[in-house]
Amino acid sequence: MKTFRSLLFVPGSRPDRFEKALAAGADSICIDLEDAVPPQDKAAARAGVIGWLEANAESYPACAIGIRMNGLDTLDGLKDIIAFSETEARPNFFMIPKASSYSALANFQQLLHLRDLDQKRVALWAVIETVAGLKSASEIAGTCGSRGGVLFGGADYSLAIGTGMDWEALFHARTTLATEARVTNGTLMDVPYLNVKDEEGLRAECARVKALGFDGKSCIHPSQVAIVNEVFSPSEAEVDWAKRVSEAFKSQDGRAVLLDGKMLDIPVYLRAERILSKAGIEF
């Protein structure tokens, strides 16, 4: 699965919004059965989402479709597992909220395997939004693997540590994830920006988390998608630099090379290749 720049959440209880979400231009959408659905609507939402997946199984768009399950330690989470094990409908990924340990995710994977889900297609995502989850970030990321990813759940994490969601309060968690979640090449996605009318604030926060090493940012409104995609896409200047680095290295058979007065070695070349890959350029 490719690295996502944008992931748009849509409530599982609002099937009228599913097609609109798919048309928003996000790299992925995540139909939410957890926080976005009140307790009294969860059974209907679960059945409606499965029915929608079954009806659209043969016509998935390029946009990846995921399902955020209810917590695995809740009754609704267990009902989610049973319901999805009894249908042939398959999302592109399952997202597990409040992931705090390797064991819970491993058990979930085992249940999927026992029910013969196609593991080559269904990826695993974890939301790290607790102190325990942050401490186990490397194990959790390793369980999700290179085809899955980690989402920073900043709202719940800020509640857990007793702070607001300002940049300084969440800086430690973000930098920890930028390191610990890189045990694989999976995607690392940031928490949504909650003020949907503040475009400049969204753009600025995207730039800051990109600088930390995040691959993208989740969204709670379609209007946020274009800005997120723009910031997390390589700029023309970055692509031009990457092309020149790649060309220089290939001309020197992979040896260290001088470019613009700077000595460039293998790590720089690999960074250039990653930029070209994100831009969808074969070079």
Side-chain angles (χ1 to χ4, degrees), residues 1-23:
M1 185 177 291
K2 69 176 183 179
T3 298
F4 299 151
R5 299 166 299 173
S6 53
L7 183 152
L8 176 61
F9 281 105
V10 57
S13 55
R14 295 297 305 270
D16 57 305
R17 295 184 181 179
F18 294 172
E19 296 299 330
K20 293 179 181 178
L22 289 172

Side-chain angles (χ1 to χ4, degrees), residues 110-129:
Q110 184 179 28
L111 288 171
L112 294 182
H113 179 70
L114 291 175
R115 289 293 185 174
D116 297 323
L117 279 176
D118 182 2
Q119 292 295 296
K120 293 183 178 180
R121 180 179 177 187
V122 181
L124 183 64
W125 274 70
V127 187
I128 293 183
E129 49 193 336

Side-chain angles (χ1 to χ4, degrees), residues 152 167 170-178 190-191 205 209 214:
F152 175 42
W167 180 259
L170 298 182
F171 182 73
H172 169 70
R174 283 185 168 114
T175 55
T176 299
L177 287 177
D190 193 46
V191 61
E205 189 164 279
V209 296
F214 281 68

